[in-house]
Amino acid sequence: MDLDKRQQLELLFFMRLTRSLEDRLDNLYKQGKIVGGLFRSLGQEATAVGSAYALDKHQGDILSPLTRDLGALLVIGALPREVFANYLWRATSLSRGRDQNLHITDLDRGFIGTISPLGTLIAVMNGVLLAKRMQNKKSVGMVYIGDGGTSTGAFHEAANFAAVQNLPLVIVGENNSYAYTTPTTKQMRILNLADRAKAYGMPSEIVDGNDVMAVYRSACRAVDRARDGGGPTFIEAKTFRMRGHAAHDNQSYVPKEVLDQWTKRDPITHFEKALKEKKVAGTADIDEVKKRVEATLDADLEWAESQPSPAPGDALGGVYAEDKAPSVRGVGK
Ligand SMILES: Cc1ncc(C[n+]2csc(CCOP(=O)(O)OP(=O)(O)O)c2C)c(N)n1
């Protein structure tokens, strides 16, 4: 569970990559190059990155992100260029220009894109894990769910099923205090999402979602338990959504003092300070990470913008299973 300097800097790299990638998406949105919704995970990068980092790709582990989990997708192996291309509706994106946001899937690399009806992706992951069990694989699945999503019927059914079947599942519950404009206090009578796990007989942990190392350690415990046959775990990460639900939402309903408080707990600032205080890394190491992030994103955005839009005649392809959709794997680096 201990991480060396290289690994800790990798955690920082992925958190910074997430934030800068989203900054660039934000600019593209303002330039009118991205249409539709733009959802950010600002302030929640540690939850997504720290949890996914506990997975083992070599054992066939798999995750499914929600709206605020770009960082988890990048950790498991999605490339920034694939994220740009999907947002820009390019023909060579993983969704072939048919979908947007984090709706990108590559089972070989261990990710199933976001599934929009809240709660349902847990049932999908249950199916994946049942299949892996039948194949005698020891893979662990990780799914993400917001506080609002834990109030859906789909969530309760799937969480109960995962517990009854003792599936190797880790559910990361992101308590970021709001579901769209609704504060958590107005959609549940309990203080902690983790309390819900008791109803399914599922172990749970509550963790500071803005502390990447704490999230990582908690996820490691859950992943180990799952792989050892101990069944699912629910991790509640306490964090905060630092922007509105999406780019159109100015978050005017969130008190400024609350935002100020959480700004002081920014996960990237917090981690860089800790790296320096514990003498794991110095300013030069951190600057090198920042440079690498920007160089990666410069190259990847240039690639994505140079990609063609889908041909109109391609719209019906890939609708039925018999269509041999062209593989775009390998178009990346
Ligand atoms: C079953 C269902 N109901 C409503 C929606 C519309 N919707 C999309 S995101 C969202 C808010 C989700 O809040 P939360 O689960 O707390 O996640 P967060 O956006 O805060 O990360 C809603 C209501 C949906 N996608 N699915």
Side-chain angles (χ1 to χ4, degrees), residues 112-159:
I112 299 176
T114 299
I115 299 168
S116 293
L118 299 172
T120 53
L121 58 79
I122 298 175
V124 171
M125 189 60 80
N126 285 346
V128 170
L129 295 176
L130 279 172
K132 293 215 180 225
R133 177 181 284 171
M134 291 163 88
Q135 295 160 354
N136 288 322
K137 291 189 179 145
K138 283 245 177 198
S139 313
V140 173
M142 186 173 278
V143 280
Y144 296 82
I145 185 89
D147 41 272
T150 65
S151 292
T152 60
F155 172 81
H156 294 293
E157 286 181 33

Side-chain angles (χ1 to χ4, degrees), residues 5 9 12 272 275-277 280-291:
K5 175 178 175 177
L9 285 173
L12 179 63
E272 287 180 347
L275 287 174
K276 285 185 187 166
E277 279 172 6
V280 175
T283 307
D285 298 305
I286 293 171
D287 287 347
E288 192 277 325
V289 168
K290 288 182 198 166
K291 270 199 206 131

Side-chain angles (χ1 to χ4, degrees), residues 67-68 116-118 146-149 152 174 176 178-180 241 245:
T67 323
R68 323 277 168 207
S116 293
L118 299 172
D147 41 272
T152 60
E174 301 161 327
N176 66 5
Y178 281 87
Y180 226 116
R241 198 191 69 195
H245 177 68

Side-chain angles (χ1 to χ4, degrees), residues 126-265:
N126 285 346
V128 170
L129 295 176
L130 279 172
K132 293 215 180 225
R133 177 181 284 171
M134 291 163 88
Q135 295 160 354
N136 288 322
K137 291 189 179 145
K138 283 245 177 198
S139 313
V140 173
M142 186 173 278
V143 280
Y144 296 82
I145 185 89
D147 41 272
T150 65
S151 292
T152 60
F155 172 81
H156 294 293
E157 286 181 33
N160 184 58
F161 183 85
V164 168
Q165 292 290 333
N166 206 40
L167 292 173
L169 178 72
V170 181
I171 304 176
V172 181
E174 301 161 327
N175 190 346
N176 66 5
S177 297
Y178 281 87
Y180 226 116
T181 55
T182 308
T184 317
T185 46
K186 287 201 173 163
Q187 57 112 352
M188 59 183 72
R189 289 290 295 269
I190 50 174
L191 192 59
N192 302 312
L193 303 184
D195 291 347
R196 297 199 145 156
K198 288 181 196 146
Y200 322 116
M202 193 187 288
S204 65
E205 286 197 19
I206 297 177
V207 67
D208 176 354
N210 283 22
D211 179 342
V212 71
M213 291 298 284
V215 174
Y216 168 72
R217 291 194 190 101
S218 174
C220 282
R221 285 188 287 274
V223 167
D224 288 350
R225 181 182 299 123
R227 212 180 307 283
D228 293 346
T233 301
F234 185 92
I235 297 172
E236 175 179 1
K238 304 264 191 200
T239 181
F240 201 81
R241 198 191 69 195
M242 296 301 289
R243 285 282 183 272
H245 177 68
H248 64 271
D249 170 8
N250 71 5
Q251 220 183 8
S252 55
Y253 47 88
V254 178
K256 190 180 166 303
E257 315 77 72
V258 176
L259 279 172
D260 290 346
Q261 267 171 25
W262 282 93
T263 302
K264 290 189 196 126
R265 297 182 52 190

